[in-house]
């Protein structure tokens, strides 16, 4: 069977996803174009050899509409012959892009593919694409007569079910910032971050190379004073078990970012004289209760481990997206996972969650973590809107 390998992974340092954020002055097409140019140029790869570019983006409206990945390919200066498509599996969009890319290689449909992702939450805010309309229709309303809920409520329900109190959530969130700050101080992100020129508030052109969302001084005590983000009287009556412990401090921030992975067959890598860094081992995707919404990484992980013939103890590092602190905590509880292996360089609470980019961002960090520690297997999983999740196992080469 043809093996799909990861030759390289890159990302842009995170920007706060609001006006004035480090990347808010940069068009989202250029964010993705920048990682496409970077990953081909630093591997001395002729872009004309790329069979397809598969990009993830959640807010596909405004500046991110009309197949942003194709726009990015053209903006990057790739030949017009290179096609591209944009997909939406909510927060797992670019992880799914990597799955489709690798599976296309394994199937023999591709030799070289780039999986990428982008989100400019400062320029295309969450909710823009719904236009204020009902996105479910009568069938959904009949199946869920009490109504579906937002992800913050789902996070509250997970915290209540797994009995994570406010102190535990804030302690985990503070640890995420501390780990990310320590990794940055040690230069552990240097290999994955590609500099991008931006214009700061003073009108100066600067090189953006540091994750803007990381707050090194964050402590659990400091987070304790924040108010609950999602409490309403209506939801309090519907969900009396909720403790209203989810705050901006133990949630991922609005973020701008882009990332990319260069994926090809093992044979093509050898032909081009490129050294693969990892290979794709196993894949899964799963659905779960859309009210709890964020629990699908648990069945997705069960599925991918079974397909891989591995146990959780065989995995050397886990990247479980920190959409909200209860998500990785519940996942770790269910698997008895080693907390030292869980998001060891920090996660989305600190490094940010640029929705469509997060899947390949996690992959980027995971590949570099395995290389730095000499680990063999890495597992990545991502909760997604409407109760879904992807899971991926990679093996360092």
């Amino acid at each position: 069977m043809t093996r799909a390998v990861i030759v390289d992974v890159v990302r842009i340092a995170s920007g706060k996803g609001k006006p004035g954020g480090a990347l808010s002055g940069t068009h989202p097409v250029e964010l993705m174009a920048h990682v496409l140019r970077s990953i081909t140029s630093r591997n001395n790869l002729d872009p004309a050899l790329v069979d397809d570019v598969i990009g993830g983006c959640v807010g596909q409206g405004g500046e991110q509409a009309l197949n942003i990945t194709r726009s990015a390919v053209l903006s990057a200066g790739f030949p017009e012959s290179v096609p591209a498509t944009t997909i939406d599996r909510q927060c797992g969009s670019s992880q799914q892009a990597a799955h489709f890319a690798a599976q296309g290689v394994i199937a023999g449909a591709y030799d070289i593919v780039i999986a990428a992702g982008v989100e400019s939450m400062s320029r295309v805010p969450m909710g823009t694409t719904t236009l204020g309309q009902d996105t479910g229709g009568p069938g959904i309303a009949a199946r869920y007569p009490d109504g579906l809920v937002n992800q913050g409520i789902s996070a509250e329900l997970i915290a209540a079910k797994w009995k994570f109190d406010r102190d535990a959530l804030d302690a985990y969130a503070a640890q995420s910032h501390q780990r990310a700050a320590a990794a940055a101080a040690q230069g552990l992100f240097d290999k994955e971050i590609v500099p991008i020129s931006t214009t700061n508030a003073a009108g100066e052109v600067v090189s953006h190379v540091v994750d803007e969302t990381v707050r090194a001084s964050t402590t659990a005590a400091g987070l304790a004073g924040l108010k609950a983000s999602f409490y309403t009287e209506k939801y309090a009556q519907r969900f009396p078990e909720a403790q209203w412990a989810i705050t901006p401090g133990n949630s991922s921030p609005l973020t701008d970012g882009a990332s990319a992975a260069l994926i090809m067959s093992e044979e093509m890598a050898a032909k081009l004289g490129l050294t693969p860094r990892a290979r794709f081992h196993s894949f899964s995707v799963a659905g779960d209760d859309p009210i709890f919404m964020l629990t699908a990484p648990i069945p997705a992980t069960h599925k991918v481990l079974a397909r891989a013939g591995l146990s959780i103890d065989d995995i050397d590092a886990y990247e479980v997206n920190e959409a909200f602190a209860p998500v990785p905590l519940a996942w770790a509880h269910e698997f008895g996972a080693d907390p030292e292996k869980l998001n060891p360089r920090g996660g989305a609470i600190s490094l940010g969650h640029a929705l469509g980019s997060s899947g390949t961002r996690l992959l980027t960090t995971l590949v570099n973590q395995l290389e730095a520690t000499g680990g063999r297997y890495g597992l990545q999983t991502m909760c997604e809107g409407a109760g879904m999740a992807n899971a991926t196992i990679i093996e360092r080469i």
Side-chain angles (χ1 to χ4, degrees), residues 27-34 36-37 53 55 62-79 82-86 118:
H27 196 290
V29 167
E30 182 53 30
L31 294 179
M32 184 184 275
H34 186 73
L36 297 181
R37 282 192 297 265
V53 180
E63 293 178 340
Q64 296 179 162
L66 300 178
N67 192 3
I68 187 174
T69 311
R70 173 61 172 171
S71 298
V73 162
L74 296 175
S75 177
F78 284 20
V82 178
T85 191
T86 306
V118 68

Side-chain angles (χ1 to χ4, degrees), residues 273-285:
L274 297 170
T275 302
R277 299 173 65 182
R279 75 175 181 93
F280 287 93
H281 189 286
S282 301
F283 314 90
S284 75
V285 62

Side-chain angles (χ1 to χ4, degrees), residues 160-179:
K161 179 177 179 179
W162 273 269
K163 296 180 171 56
F164 300 127
D165 62 18
R166 174 68 181 272
D167 289 345
L169 301 181
D170 287 347
Y172 181 85
Q175 176 185 266
S176 180
H177 283 281
Q178 291 157 7
R179 286 183 171 182

Side-chain angles (χ1 to χ4, degrees), residues 8-14 23 26-43 45 47 53-56 69 72-73 75-76 78 94 114-119 192-196 256-262 356-357 360-361 364:
D8 203 5
V9 279
V10 299
R11 68 180 180 92
I12 294 173
S14 66
L23 300 174
T26 304
H27 196 290
V29 167
E30 182 53 30
L31 294 179
M32 184 184 275
H34 186 73
V35 294
L36 297 181
R37 282 192 297 265
S38 297
I39 206 164
T40 50
S41 64
R42 82 179 200 168
N43 289 282
L45 177 69
V53 180
I54 307 174
T69 311
V73 162
S75 177
F78 284 20
S94 58
I114 299 175
V118 68
E119 204 79 36
E192 65 193 61
I193 290 177
V194 290
I196 184 170
D256 296 343
S259 51
L262 178 58
S357 172
T360 37
R361 200 285 295 166
T364 298

Side-chain angles (χ1 to χ4, degrees), residues 58-199:
V58 176
Q60 294 184 37
E63 293 178 340
Q64 296 179 162
L66 300 178
N67 192 3
I68 187 174
T69 311
R70 173 61 172 171
S71 298
V73 162
L74 296 175
S75 177
F78 284 20
E80 294 171 347
S81 59
V82 178
T85 191
T86 306
I87 61 172
D88 174 9
R89 200 189 284 277
Q90 296 294 278
C91 297
S93 295
S94 58
Q95 184 172 357
Q96 184 64 65
H99 280 205
F100 284 157
Q103 290 159 357
V105 169
I106 292 167
Y110 296 137
D111 292 315
I112 302 173
V113 199
I114 299 175
V118 68
E119 204 79 36
S120 178
M121 300 180 78
S122 63
R123 298 171 72 105
V124 186
M126 289 180 66
T128 297
T129 57
T130 69
L131 301 177
Q133 302 297 305
D134 170 22
T135 60
I140 294 293
R143 184 169 184 176
Y144 302 98
D146 293 329
L148 296 176
V149 299
N150 62 59
Q151 292 194 1
I153 298 300
S154 298
E156 291 283 4
L157 297 178
I158 294 169
K161 179 177 179 179
W162 273 269
K163 296 180 171 56
F164 300 127
D165 62 18
R166 174 68 181 272
D167 289 345
L169 301 181
D170 287 347
Y172 181 85
Q175 176 185 266
S176 180
H177 283 281
Q178 291 157 7
R179 286 183 171 182
Q186 296 169 42
L188 299 182
F189 296 133
D190 293 354
K191 192 174 181 180
E192 65 193 61
I193 290 177
V194 290
I196 184 170
S197 295
T198 61
T199 303

